[in-house]
Amino acid sequence: MAPKKLLCLPSLLLPLVTLLLPQADTRSFVVDPDHDRFLLDGAPFRYVSGSLHYFRVPRVLWADRLFKMRMSGLNAVQFYVPWNYHEPEPGVYKFNGSRDLFAFLKEATLANLLVILRPGPYICAEWEMGGLPAWLLRKPKIHLRTSDPDFLAAVDSWFKVLLPKIHPWLYHNGGNIISIQVENEYGSYRACDMSYMRHLAGLFRALLGDKILLFTTDGPEGLKCGSLQGLYTTIDFGPGLLSKADNMTKIFALLRKYEPRGPLVNSEYYTGWLDYWGQNHSTRSVPAVTKGLENMLKLGASVNMYMYHGGTNFGYWNGADEKGRFLPITTSYDYDAPISEAGDPTPKLFAIRNVISKDGNLLAFLDFLCPQGPIHSILPMTFEAVNQVKHNPPSG
Ligand SMILES: *[C@@H]1O[C@H](CO)[C@@H](O)[C@H](O)[C@H]1NC(C)=O
Ligand SMILES: *[C@@H]1O[C@H](CO)[C@@H](O)[C@H](O)[C@H]1NC(C)=O
Ligand SMILES: *[C@@H]1O[C@H](CO)[C@@H](O)[C@H](O)[C@H]1NC(C)=O
């Protein structure tokens, strides 16, 4: 009898133990195409994330800003990696001080935030040359963001330095990075060079393995050239777009043409907007931002708010637009974001926190906690009557 009991014990305890303490080999973040959702460690999951750029915030303030994001109810942080900030000259790499993005990843872990990483190579971000190093232009005929061999050689050598450092930080390897974006709104770039996108996808896979979720993101008009088989397609839109003739139902219906199954994701939901020198400060009203967010959360979508905290373009790192005339971005990247440039919570932050709290985390776990669906009863029922006890002790 005794040996038999010992044999029974593990089958009883293991499910409980694995539930409480996910082991390294059980850590996973995947798309569940059958139920249009993500699964984190096998349980239904959606992220409510915010953008924060380590390169726009002094290192001593990283922890403070990340903590304020977590306290707003966010469960993830999304950020770019600017190539030109880390490789100032060909083959010269800087990852120390305020450029130590691994220290930033560690701070995000301490704040209990998952990470959505956007390493480019092009990032836009209203950053100097969209993150591409100026030294690329020493070859005057170079075609940026295409399969021009000169451009690809520089991209390959940079990613062969960066991505192996990222590898241990992937979620399934014990880190906090759940997904990685390839390029940035490539569909808005006139080149539309699909062999360039295929090259990047192959490079990311070769250096990061096949478990990590790779994705693209584009505005509604950019999906055609920006999406690629094998990279999960997501979309960018803000409350500004929703107030026009378009609406969320229509925008997500368009996304479904490119990504028929899986969770809906808005990778850049605009809480504010950028500023140009000589123009008024851009703003987005609190009701517009919260209404759009509320509707997206009701649909079960995952969302990243761009920006959650904008920060400052220190030095000469501000970018510029060319729209018929030269339009430089201001030093401030306040963005009318929920956390102000000075780091203070604004009324927008508290309004967003209220919206997120209405859609409490427990709802995301209902299918997991009660797989057979809701049970209606006038009188309270026992756990046994609702079949809550799944692992009955063996009777022998
Ligand atoms: C980073 O490294 C460079 C060169 O190795 C050095 O000059 C600089 O002082 C370092 N910065 C910090 C903050 O450690
Ligand atoms: C959004 O668009 C859909 C599809 O065209 C339409 O059925 C719906 O009424 C629109 N909603 C709003 C709020 O305009
Ligand atoms: C900036 O705002 C002021 C006050 O609202 C307005 O009068 C002015 O036209 C605006 N300027 C621009 C360039 O939009």
Side-chain angles (χ1 to χ4, degrees):
M1 289 306 276
K4 194 181 169 206
K5 264 191 187 149
L6 273 178
L7 280 175
C8 289
L9 203 56
S11 69
L12 174 66
L13 286 181
L14 264 180
L16 192 64
V17 170
T18 48
L19 194 68
L20 295 176
L21 298 169
Q23 304 296 304
D25 58 351
T26 69
R27 290 169 66 93
S28 66
F29 179 75
V30 294
V31 165
D32 174 6
D34 296 333
H35 300 95
D36 296 339
R37 64 191 180 189
F38 289 119
L39 295 176
L40 183 73
D41 300 337
F45 177 81
R46 72 117 144 256
Y47 57 77
V48 183
S49 164
S51 286
L52 165 65
H53 297 151
Y54 61 93
F55 41 92
R56 287 186 162 122
V57 177
R59 179 172 170 162
V60 289
L61 296 172
W62 289 349
D64 172 79
R65 306 303 189 252
L66 289 164
F67 184 68
K68 283 170 179 158
M69 288 172 70
R70 183 60 187 159
M71 289 298 107
S72 303
L74 307 187
N75 57 10
V77 53
Q78 175 170 294
F79 63 91
Y80 288 121
V81 180
W83 176 8
N84 55 9
Y85 195 57
H86 294 284
E87 193 180 356
E89 286 294 326
V92 176
Y93 303 102
K94 287 191 177 178
F95 288 104
N96 66 347
S98 55
R99 289 172 171 81
D100 189 346
L101 74 105
F102 307 99
F104 185 77
L105 283 166
K106 198 171 165 200
E107 292 291 1
T109 311
L110 294 175
N112 203 7
L113 290 165
L114 296 167
V115 170
I116 299 154
L117 191 77
R118 315 208 286 172
Y122 179 79
I123 61 168
C124 183
E126 289 77 65
W127 187 255
E128 152 74 8
M129 209 166 138
L132 299 179
W135 50 258
L136 289 170
L137 302 179
R138 286 175 197 159
K139 294 208 162 105
K141 290 199 174 139
I142 197 164
H143 287 281
L144 306 173
R145 302 176 76 193
T146 70
S147 41
D148 175 345
D150 283 337
F151 183 67
L152 290 189
V155 167
D156 287 2
S157 70
W158 160 235
F159 277 143
K160 280 177 188 162
V161 171
L162 177 70
L163 297 185
K165 291 180 192 285
I166 293 296
H167 191 262
W169 288 91
L170 302 182
Y171 186 77
H172 55 266
N173 292 334
N176 51 356
I177 300 174
I178 53 173
S179 61
I180 296 191
Q181 184 185 308
V182 178
E183 247 280 349
N184 187 69
E185 296 187 337
Y186 188 65
S188 306
Y189 188 55
R190 59 187 179 279
C192 194
D193 178 348
M194 293 327 275
S195 52
Y196 163 61
M197 283 299 283
R198 274 191 293 273
H199 176 89
L200 288 183
L203 183 66
F204 277 53
R205 280 281 167 240
L207 294 168
L208 296 171
D210 27 318
K211 279 193 190 162
I212 184 73
L213 179 71
L214 298 179
F215 72 99
T216 57
T217 197
D218 284 280
E221 327 75 38
L223 289 170
K224 191 162 172 277
C225 278
S227 63
L228 184 74
Q229 193 79 37
L231 306 178
Y232 194 72
T233 308
T234 74
I235 200 163
D236 296 344
F237 63 86
L241 195 51
L242 297 176
S243 61
K244 290 182 192 149
D246 250 323
N247 70 31
M248 192 176 300
T249 320
K250 277 190 192 161
I251 296 173
F252 278 137
L254 181 66
L255 175 61
R256 277 289 178 231
K257 288 192 185 156
Y258 294 88
E259 200 62 72
R261 304 311 315 251
L264 297 168
V265 180
N266 184 345
S267 292
E268 291 191 4
Y269 178 65
Y270 305 109
T271 58
W273 199 248
L274 53 104
D275 289 334
Y276 296 116
W277 275 108
Q279 299 191 8
N280 286 342
H281 180 45
S282 304
T283 56
R284 291 285 181 278
S285 81
V286 173
V289 170
T290 50
K291 188 165 179 285
L293 178 65
E294 194 161 9
N295 290 342
M296 263 185 297
L297 295 185
K298 274 187 195 146
L299 278 181
S302 281
V303 55
N304 172 71
M305 284 171 266
Y306 189 99
M307 301 290 299
Y308 207 79
H309 173 53
T312 306
N313 292 306
F314 296 106
Y316 294 109
W317 287 114
N318 59 316
D321 269 340
E322 167 67 67
K323 288 178 184 165
R325 66 195 174 107
F326 182 62
L327 289 169
I329 308 289
T330 58
T331 300
S332 168
Y333 200 65
D334 174 81
Y335 217 85
D336 196 28
I339 300 174
S340 76
E341 181 175 14
D344 296 324
T346 65
K348 197 174 273 178
L349 180 147
F350 293 106
I352 286 172
R353 192 180 65 169
N354 282 345
V355 170
I356 299 173
S357 67
K358 272 190 238 168
D359 214 87
N361 277 339
L362 195 61
L363 289 181
F365 290 93
L366 275 185
D367 287 350
F368 175 71
L369 294 171
C370 193
Q372 70 271 43
I375 293 161
H376 301 275
S377 168
I378 293 170
L379 297 174
M381 295 165 73
T382 62
F383 282 169
E384 289 77 7
V386 297
N387 198 24
Q388 189 76 18
V389 182
K390 292 190 81 182
H391 305 286
N392 289 314
S395 50

